[in-house]
Amino acid sequence: MTALTTRQRAPLAPHQLGILIVDDDPVQLMDMAGALTDAGLIVFEACNSEQAVDLLSTRTDVRVLISDVDMPGSELNGYQLAKLVAARWPEIRLLVLSGRNNPKGTDLPDGARFVSKPCALHALTGNIFDLLSEQGGGI
């Protein structure tokens, strides 16, 4: 899978929510993207941290980053990616997922949410809307 670029999508309208999913597992990525698209969200995909950073560097309409923790071959794991995004794009809400790791003390930046995998797809969608609401992101 490749990340979407600005050449492939027009900017979103102000009321639309752009969600970037970062996961090296194509089946997980496809399942999450399908559920979030069905919920009316605009979904961008990246299979590693480098693609995610490249996409975020060119788009201003991503409101939420969902990242798996373990991404073999990626420069950054999901915790490191979340910290980088929090520092460079503080307006982006963060949801980190893992089926193997639970965050320790300082693994997650302030305001980030962690969800264990497997996560029901309706629960994933609910977490996104909850995260936006509790942090004043608007829906």
Side-chain angles (χ1 to χ4, degrees), residues 3-4 8 12 26 30 37-38 43 45 51 58 61 63 66 78 83 88 92 99-100 109-110 113 116 126 130 137:
L4 299 175
Q8 293 171 302
L12 301 179
M30 182 179 66
T37 299
D38 289 348
V43 177
E45 301 173 11
Q51 286 181 355
T58 61
D61 47 11
R63 302 275 302 281
I66 301 170
K83 287 181 180 180
R88 286 184 63 185
I92 296 176
R100 296 184 187 151
D110 288 342
R113 184 177 280 202
S116 294
D130 288 347

Side-chain angles (χ1 to χ4, degrees), residues 11-121:
L12 301 179
H15 68 282
Q16 291 179 302
L17 302 176
I19 310 296
L20 172 57
I21 304 171
V22 188
D23 198 315
D24 64 313
D25 181 329
V27 174
Q28 294 267 339
L29 193 59
M30 182 179 66
D31 287 348
M32 287 187 283
L36 297 177
T37 299
D38 289 348
L41 302 169
I42 306 300
V43 177
F44 304 97
E45 301 173 11
C47 63
N48 60 47
S49 62
E50 294 79 17
Q51 286 181 355
V53 171
D54 287 346
L55 187 136
L56 291 171
S57 296
T58 61
R59 300 215 55 108
T60 59
D61 47 11
V62 173
R63 302 275 302 281
V64 177
L65 170 83
I66 301 170
S67 180
D68 187 26
V69 172
D70 295 312
M71 292 182 283
S74 224
E75 185 176 308
L76 305 172
N77 68 30
Y79 297 135
Q80 295 164 324
L81 178 60
K83 287 181 180 180
L84 174 72
V85 170
R88 286 184 63 185
W89 299 283
E91 70 281 3
I92 296 176
R93 309 302 185 248
L94 303 166
L95 183 62
V96 178
L97 311 171
S98 181
R100 296 184 187 151
N101 297 295
N102 286 320
K104 295 173 187 80
T106 59
D107 283 343
L108 292 173
D110 288 342
R113 184 177 280 202
F114 178 82
V115 175
S116 294
K117 284 181 170 180
C119 174
L121 296 175

